[in-house]
Amino acid sequence: MARPNEPEHLEGRRIGPYQLAARIGAGGMGEVYKALDTRLDRTVAIKVLPAHVAHDAQARERFEREARAVAALNHPHICTLYDVGRHEGIDFLVMEYLDGPTLAERLEKGPLPVDQALPCAIQIAAALDKAHRAGIVHRDLKPGNIILTKGGAKLLDFGLAKGLARLTPASPTAITEAPDLTEPGLILGTVRYMAPEQIVGKDADARTDIFAFGAVMFEMLTGRKVFEGSSNASVMAAILEREPPPLSTLIPLAPRALDRIVSTCLAKDPDDRWQTARDLLRELQWLVETGAAAGDSAAVAAIARPRWSTAVRIAGVAGATLTLAGAIWIALPGSDPVTDDRVTRFVVDLGKDQLMLAGFNPDLALSPDGTQLAMTPFLGPVSIRRFDGLEPRDVPASVSPGFRGAPLFSPDGTAVSYIEGNTIFSWTRPFLRAAVSGGGALKLAEYDAFHKGDWAADKWIYWTARYPGGIVRIPEAGGNVEPVTALDADRGERSHRFASLLPGEQALVYTVAFDGISSFDDARIDVWDLNSRQKKTLITGGTSAVYSPSGHLVYARAGKLLAVPFDVSRRQVTGSPFEALDGVLMSSNTGAAQFSLSRRGDLAYVPGAVEGGHRTLVWVDRSGKVEPLPLKPASYVYPHLSPDGRALAVEIEGPNHDLHLYDFARTVLTKITTDGQSHAPVWTPDSKRIAFRSWQSGGMTLWMMPADRSAGAVRLDPAGARQSPVSVSPDGRFLAFDQKDARTGDDAWVLPLDGSRPPQLIAASRFGEGSAKFSPDGHWIAYSSDESGREEVYVQPFPGPGPKIQISNAGGYDPVWRRAGGDLYYRSGKKMMVVAIVTAPALRASAPRVLWQGTYSDGAASSCGMPGVSSSNYDVTADGQRFLMVRDDDSEVFGTRVVVVLNWAAELKARGRAKAAAATAR
């Protein structure tokens, strides 16, 4: 039998006119039930005094004082008290029933965006102001005592409230002490939100609630407790001794004024905090109403403005979200244009397992009006995000598996163009256009190489279709591709790329790659008149120029965005460049910089480092020990040792791709091709000649040249296309090579080098086959194929026919034979694998085993995430004791988020004026 005043198991009981239903909450100072007020037929919340404190006179006094305190607080953001009473020994309060989660429950899902946190903070500050002005200190402010309803936040549970010394109506100057609801020096409350004075047992006042408010607001914005600890004692010590981390370290784009508001709340000394909740409330309202914090370029726009619409959360690729650096309000089409200098920043997180790579193109684009963002993360979809919506829209893929890239909006923002394909299965890929609203994609063209350009109002799309090559254009509905710019052979020009139209669309600026440069940091930016077909150089040393309505050309160099004053009418640079932004993801090898400017001056960019020139050649022995070669870092790929062991041939990537020889004895690195289009060197067995692939004939074809450059290179297969050499047979008679086919993808072939007959197909299917290597005796070929669903290594007789034998058992690619025989090596992720193998009189192979593990580059073959169907990006000495590997410091060059800066042109314009004023003052 329950004792008198026993509150347990009250579901279904009736207390006076109130019919109790389910228990909805419990704590030390009360248990709360959902109930029906049978008189008024309304749902209410009933709080009863728990049994374990019912006999405590002080607890009952606090319970009654809570009733009186709440009854005195009539406020829209404080839970309303309806009734108080005692029924059959049970003390109870009847309160407003609040339908919604507590703030603590909401924070289990993560922090609140700033535009949601600020209104909540203002409402709670207003509630505290009301309580304090009524002479009540809450003393237990925490997320669990805040309910989030449709009508806003509600503060509840004044069970630990304390009276304040306050002014009496009778005598404005006389101070009276309100009765205390607890004994002086008694520590009550929830430890993580206690102020220092509470912990040491000092009297609490309004500033104690303000400290707790700061802790709650910090948690709202960051999703983490401001003071951490494994026990109450350690949390108390942290509150007393440690300074909280600045918001700016956890939310880099948070306005400084917001950081100042929270840090002032959390001051250790009460005298250093906001002195009243009214002061705090006014600071928060000022932050929202003025739209900016002092000294901040990130603005917080007014929440109440009806002509703006909020972008609260954008779910994107793999759950990507939009994290706001303030209350973000974006002008919609048809609304009033932005006419002031407000600048707003927010971040789009890509989500789990999604990356932006440096790549060949910018893989993000803002619509001309700045209301949409298109993105193509690595191996992800073309994703369109409207800033006034909650969900992205993915453009349906027409090729799979594969990648999409280089998105570009039409001038009216209703359509997007992009590329789609797979570098493993096809060397040419479609250039597509699709409506943003949905539907199928229209193929505009096929291409061998692609660099993004611009979309004109007269319905022409400008782009770069080939390497080497200039800018071309195509009608937006598809049709014939027309040349626009012409390469200047006398100046050694090899590529025009990243075309961008100037206002008026009578001229475009573009990047020029030319002979002799090893980085796009040294490229040129030219302007081309579309009517006269005349050009002139604007900038030396940069890439990817775009005009900003601030009156500048913005371009990339060394991971920075630079801006230079520019006269559009005269198409002339009128001042000196200055740094506009540091830390933009880009490639010095391709010139692609991951940023986009809208026509109205908004900016989107991917924070990151610079890819290119950060690879090192190293020896790795059979135990995994590393020894670097005495060569400076460069963009090395496909290092291959000469059979006599005296030299290595290697490709160095960049604006120009050329082959180099390194003489081990003389420690000299010599460039042996100068066309800027040569790749993947392969030695003949006598170490006298090198086969390679080159674009010099207009397509990717096979060539051969003497290693000592005593004669020019000759083309090996006049009828071939999209070919890459892999290995030469030990007798020097055959060249194994990869060839890409539109129907079957990558296939393995063998070319007789004496020209006696056409190439022979070794392995071809709808899957990818390649990296075919001759065995030391020339009677077998090892190659990789993904026919099983992942890359595996196979061996089959040459010239055949005969069995096809799988060698790897858990994934494998890039097979390489030990020249002296006895071993076959291959890669499996970070593992170097070895199989003991005998080829005569019959093939016998051991089980694979791990030789060593390490992180090394897979080379160009893995640039689309599927390694191994091209020439191996490593080599092995003849005795199998050392491996020549490429250590790639560029492997970590990627981005995981996009920063959007609305009205960036205003900031850029102000910065330009400041630079000009400083220069004048000097």
Side-chain angles (χ1 to χ4, degrees):
M1 181 173 178
R3 295 176 299 160
N5 211 43
E6 179 71 65
E8 286 83 356
H9 310 297
L10 296 180
E11 292 93 338
R13 289 188 57 178
R14 188 181 178 103
I15 298 179
Y18 305 106
Q19 184 70 44
L20 272 61
R23 189 170 71 166
I24 57 177
M29 290 303 299
E31 295 177 342
V32 184
Y33 293 82
K34 184 177 180 180
L36 175 67
D37 183 341
T38 58
R39 296 170 303 179
L40 300 177
D41 192 27
R42 67 179 176 181
T43 300
V44 296
I46 302 287
K47 183 174 183 178
V48 301
L49 191 65
H52 67 278
V53 295
H55 65 282
D56 186 335
Q58 289 185 334
R60 292 187 60 185
E61 175 68 10
R62 287 197 297 270
F63 195 74
E64 294 172 4
R65 294 283 177 88
E66 178 183 2
R68 288 193 289 272
V70 177
L73 301 178
N74 181 18
H75 190 272
H77 295 294
I78 296 176
C79 181
T80 303
L81 179 72
Y82 294 147
D83 196 2
V84 61
R86 184 177 177 84
H87 178 80
E88 297 180 355
I90 298 175
D91 297 290
F92 66 91
L93 307 178
V94 183
M95 299 175 292
E96 172 187 12
Y97 175 74
L98 301 175
D99 187 11
T102 66
L103 177 58
E105 291 168 337
R106 166 59 185 83
L107 289 175
E108 291 177 0
K109 302 177 182 179
L112 273 67
V114 176
D115 72 321
Q116 293 179 24
L118 278 175
C120 180
I122 288 173
Q123 291 158 8
I124 298 306
L128 287 177
D129 178 50
K130 176 69 175 180
H132 294 170
R133 290 161 74 85
I136 301 296
V137 183
H138 191 284
R139 290 207 302 177
D140 197 22
L141 180 62
K142 60 184 178 180
N145 284 338
I146 297 169
I147 301 288
L148 304 179
T149 72
K150 291 183 179 180
K154 292 266 191 173
L155 181 59
L156 66 155
D157 200 348
F158 281 77
L160 299 183
K162 175 185 182 294
L164 278 171
R166 54 188 174 91
L167 296 175
T168 63
S171 176
T173 60
I175 301 295
T176 61
E177 185 70 29
D180 194 352
L181 303 187
T182 64
E183 293 181 6
L186 184 63
I187 300 177
L188 293 173
T190 303
V191 170
R192 291 189 183 275
Y193 306 94
M194 283 184 177
E197 59 270 22
Q198 279 181 290
I199 292 174
V200 298
K202 293 182 179 179
D203 286 344
D205 60 20
R207 297 169 298 179
T208 303
D209 281 349
I210 290 172
F211 185 92
F213 178 92
V216 170
M217 193 169 182
F218 183 96
E219 192 171 342
M220 274 200 295
L221 292 164
T222 67
R224 55 177 281 186
K225 304 290 193 298
V226 63
F227 296 106
E228 300 286 358
S230 58
S231 66
N232 283 345
S234 61
V235 173
M236 288 180 179
I239 293 172
L240 293 172
E241 299 170 4
R242 299 178 201 162
E243 290 299 325
L247 275 180
S248 57
T249 64
L250 302 173
I251 312 175
L253 300 180
R256 288 194 297 273
L258 189 57
D259 204 340
R260 183 176 66 89
I261 289 172
V262 174
S263 63
T264 303
C265 289
L266 293 170
K268 305 291 186 192
D269 188 336
D271 289 340
D272 293 333
R273 297 176 207 150
W274 305 108
Q275 294 301 290
T276 68
R278 175 58 59 94
D279 294 339
L280 173 61
L281 176 62
R282 286 175 173 171
E283 285 292 320
L284 290 166
Q285 291 172 333
W286 173 86
L287 177 63
V288 171
E289 290 170 359
T290 61
D296 266 325
S297 59
V300 182
I303 290 175
R305 300 189 185 198
R307 68 182 180 90
W308 298 80
S309 177
T310 184
V312 174
R313 183 178 181 87
I314 296 181
V317 180
T321 58
L322 179 76
T323 304
L324 291 95
I328 307 304
W329 305 89
I330 299 166
L332 303 182
S335 68
D336 296 338
V338 176
T339 57
D340 59 23
D341 289 341
R342 287 176 295 175
V343 179
T344 301
R345 285 172 165 82
F346 57 90
V347 175
V348 178
D349 290 317
L350 298 186
K352 184 179 180 182
D353 299 327
Q354 292 291 341
L355 305 173
M356 295 285 273
L357 305 183
F360 288 88
N361 283 286
D363 287 321
L364 74 167
L366 285 169
S367 60
D369 64 1
T371 63
Q372 302 177 83
L373 174 68
M375 294 174 52
T376 52
F378 179 53
L379 294 182
V382 180
S383 181
I384 310 294
R385 297 164 175 77
R386 286 188 57 87
F387 295 150
D388 63 338
L390 298 178
E391 298 293 336
R393 182 180 187 89
D394 292 344
V395 176
S398 62
V399 176
S400 182
F403 75 96
R404 289 95 210 161
L408 178 66
F409 277 102
S410 61
D412 61 5
T414 63
V416 63
S417 68
Y418 58 98
I419 60 174
E420 185 173 272
N422 191 309
T423 57
I424 298 300
F425 299 118
S426 175
W427 197 254
T428 60
R429 311 171 200 90
F431 178 27
L432 305 172
R433 191 199 79 194
V436 169
S437 59
L442 170 68
K443 184 167 75 173
L444 302 177
E446 291 275 351
Y447 60 90
D448 284 339
F450 184 95
H451 290 289
K452 181 176 167 181
D454 208 347
W455 196 327
D458 62 4
K459 304 184 184 304
W460 287 98
I461 301 176
Y462 294 82
W463 53 299
T464 302
R466 301 195 182 282
Y467 180 83
I471 310 296
V472 300
R473 68 178 186 175
I474 190 171
E476 65 178 31
N480 294 329
V481 176
E482 298 182 359
V484 177
T485 67
L487 297 179
D488 187 341
D490 293 338
R491 300 182 69 183
E493 294 180 359
R494 298 202 180 278
S495 176
H496 296 167
R497 56 186 68 178
F498 310 129
S500 178
L501 291 161
L502 292 175
E505 300 188 346
Q506 299 303 303
L508 53 82
V509 291
Y510 58 97
T511 300
V512 182
F514 50 91
D515 288 344
I517 61 172
S518 59
S519 166
F520 270 89
D521 290 344
D522 301 319
R524 284 200 329 264
I525 295 170
D526 287 2
V527 60
W528 182 275
D529 189 302
L530 294 173
N531 298 312
S532 67
R533 294 179 56 83
Q534 298 297 310
K535 68 175 181 180
K536 68 177 178 181
T537 295
L538 300 175
I539 298 165
T540 300
T543 179
S544 303
V546 182
Y547 179 75
S548 165
S550 61
H552 299 87
L553 277 184
V554 176
Y555 61 99
R557 190 175 194 275
K560 303 176 187 290
L561 292 187
L562 304 178
V564 62
F566 184 71
D567 187 322
V568 173
S569 61
R570 293 187 294 158
R571 298 173 193 162
Q572 182 174 318
V573 170
T574 58
S576 300
F578 60 89
E579 181 181 314
L581 182 66
D582 191 9
V584 177
L585 181 68
M586 67 171 291
S587 171
S588 62
N589 286 339
T590 68
Q594 295 292 353
F595 79 99
S596 174
L597 280 181
S598 72
R599 292 282 193 266
R600 60 171 230 157
D602 309 300
L603 169 70
Y605 71 95
V606 180
V610 180
E611 179 271 336
H614 305 133
R615 301 175 197 156
T616 306
L617 293 174
V618 299
W619 291 114
V620 180
D621 68 15
R622 292 175 74 92
S623 68
K625 182 179 178 181
V626 177
E627 178 187 353
L629 272 68
L631 288 168
K632 66 179 182 180
S635 294
Y636 299 112
V637 67
Y638 300 136
H640 291 141
L641 298 166
S642 62
D644 62 14
R646 296 178 179 177
L648 75 86
V650 64
E651 174 191 341
I652 297 181
E653 298 181 312
N656 299 294
H657 291 245
D658 281 305
L659 307 184
H660 294 68
L661 284 188
Y662 179 67
D663 187 307
F664 287 109
R666 299 188 301 115
T667 64
V668 174
L669 183 69
T670 304
K671 184 163 71 172
I672 60 171
T673 64
T674 57
D675 56 30
Q677 305 167 67
S678 299
H679 311 258
V682 174
W683 291 91
T684 58
D686 58 7
S687 301
K688 293 183 177 180
R689 294 180 296 164
I690 293 175
F692 60 99
R693 72 171 185 253
S694 178
W695 295 79
Q696 58 188 286
S697 63
M700 191 175 70
T701 54
L702 300 174
W703 295 74
M704 183 84 81
M705 66 176 292
D708 63 5
R709 297 185 289 167
S710 58
V714 295
R715 186 172 174 181
L716 299 178
D717 181 18
R722 306 187 187 106
Q723 302 167 318
S724 185
V726 179
S727 70
V728 179
S729 62
D731 58 11
R733 296 174 55 200
F734 301 98
L735 172 67
F737 67 96
D738 292 344
Q739 182 162 287
K740 296 179 184 292
D741 183 272
R743 295 173 295 104
T744 60
D746 268 285
D747 302 319
W749 292 75
V750 167
L751 173 70
L753 291 176
D754 61 6
S756 60
R757 57 185 187 273
Q760 171 188 348
L761 188 61
I762 296 298
S765 71
R766 63 187 180 91
F767 303 101
E769 295 89 9
S771 199
K773 310 293 191 348
F774 285 102
S775 64
D777 62 10
H779 298 312
W780 297 84
I781 283 184
Y783 63 95
S784 56
S785 172
D786 62 359
E787 63 185 56
S788 68
R790 65 180 176 185
E791 288 279 304
E792 298 285 2
V793 174
Y794 299 85
V795 172
Q796 68 183 41
F798 177 77
K804 176 180 178 180
I805 303 168
Q806 182 173 329
I807 299 298
S808 58
N809 61 6
Y813 54 92
D814 280 358
V816 172
W817 298 86
R818 179 179 175 180
R819 287 192 179 92
D823 287 338
L824 176 65
Y825 309 99
Y826 65 88
R827 301 183 67 179
S828 180
K830 295 182 179 180
K831 301 174 183 177
M832 181 62 70
M833 308 296 295
V834 61
V835 172
I837 195 163
V838 176
T839 59
L843 186 124
R844 299 192 309 275
S846 71
R849 65 183 178 89
V850 178
L851 196 59
W852 49 262
Q853 295 190 52
T855 303
Y856 298 100
S857 173
D858 284 325
S862 65
S863 61
C864 284
M866 298 177 62
V869 298
S870 188
S871 182
S872 301
N873 197 41
Y874 73 102
D875 208 345
V876 187
T877 56
D879 60 5
Q881 296 302 304
R882 294 200 299 175
F883 296 79
L884 182 61
M885 309 298 298
V886 179
R887 187 169 60 194
D888 190 356
D889 296 330
D890 282 335
S891 62
E892 299 300 319
V893 178
F894 57 81
T896 59
R897 61 195 180 113
V898 176
V899 177
V900 179
V901 189
L902 302 179
N903 201 23
W904 186 64
E907 181 177 291
L908 189 62
K909 189 172 185 178
R911 187 172 300 177
R913 287 173 176 169
K915 294 287 183 182
T920 301
R922 286 195 299 268

